[in-house]
Amino acid sequence: MTLALVPGSFDPVTNGHLDIIQRAVELFDEVRVVVARNSSKTPLFTVEERLEMLREVCAPLPRVTVDSFEGLLVNYALKCGATVIVKGLRFVSDFEYELQMALMNRRLNNAIETVFLPTGAPYSDLSSSIVKEIARLGGSVEGLVPEIVQQRLREKYSIHST
Ligand code: ADP
């Protein structure tokens, strides 16, 4: 049984993330989407809000669970018996950073392998940051994020602007 982790900040989850998660399900026995609690980025959504959105959008997917982790991802992987880390790649800039992370993770624990999946064609320019920027400026994020995330973004920004 291979358990694969799909880590990220998911602030918020986008259709690009979902594409990677769905494709990981085809490749591995079980998939766990994990939200990093100690990311250096300043988030828009709390970890609990991000987990809630992820749980809702991943509910229809078989063999997918959602969790969060603190500290090193390889330590979390060891604890739960995961042997694969799945990362999506969009640009060359993603690759440089992700390769460095993958090499470091293997140095920390060589039993854990990182697998890169190229972004699905319609999502190559999609990031959580772009989605937040569009929503903040009042644009439509339809087709970029699941319905529930559209709703949450509307709530966040209408609260913020009052
Ligand atoms: P973001 O970079 O959008 O803030 P995260 O930090 O949550 O996203 O990223 C988690 C993982 O998801 C990273 O491996 C990232 O490359 C990947 N990812 C994010 N958006 C996409 C996308 N549109 N297509 C493919 N992979 C993506």
Side-chain angles (χ1 to χ4, degrees):
M1 205 273 308
T2 306
L3 171 62
L5 301 178
V6 182
S9 27
F10 302 102
D11 184 41
V13 57
T14 68
N15 288 345
H17 291 129
L18 266 183
D19 177 64
I20 297 292
I21 297 165
Q22 280 163 342
R23 285 158 61 202
V25 173
E26 302 295 320
L27 295 171
F28 304 103
D29 301 312
E30 280 185 33
V31 169
R32 187 170 303 174
V33 184
V34 285
V35 176
R37 283 192 173 266
N38 53 352
S39 160
S40 51
K41 300 175 193 167
T42 308
L44 173 66
F45 292 98
T46 66
V47 170
E48 276 60 38
E49 288 172 323
R50 284 178 266 157
L51 286 169
E52 211 178 290
M53 287 184 273
L54 273 170
R55 288 207 173 97
E56 184 153 342
V57 299
C58 290
L61 303 176
R63 296 173 283 110
V64 176
T65 50
V66 174
D67 195 10
S68 65
F69 71 99
E70 199 135 29
L72 287 174
L73 180 62
V74 287
N75 289 348
Y76 176 85
L78 265 181
K79 230 174 35 202
C80 65
T83 49
V84 174
I85 295 170
V86 176
K87 300 302 295 269
L89 290 181
R90 288 160 294 190
F91 324 107
V92 176
S93 54
D94 268 354
F95 180 72
E96 284 177 10
Y97 176 71
E98 296 294 353
L99 180 62
Q100 203 178 359
M101 293 271 285
L103 295 176
M104 185 48 69
N105 281 335
R106 208 167 58 210
R107 188 193 294 264
L108 293 168
N109 184 336
N110 64 10
I112 296 165
E113 201 62 80
T114 298
V115 171
F116 293 121
L117 296 180
T119 181
Y123 307 121
S124 58
D125 56 350
L126 185 52
S127 70
S128 298
S129 324
I130 292 282
V131 163
K132 284 182 280 190
E133 192 62 4
I134 297 171
R136 187 175 71 82
L137 298 172
S140 166
V141 291
E142 203 181 327
L144 305 181
V145 294
E147 184 69 42
I148 162 123
V149 178
Q150 288 179 45
Q151 178 62 34
R152 292 298 175 87
L153 282 165
R154 276 195 294 269
E155 288 164 13
K156 263 298 171 200
Y157 286 114
S158 62
I159 290 164
H160 280 190
S161 60
T162 51

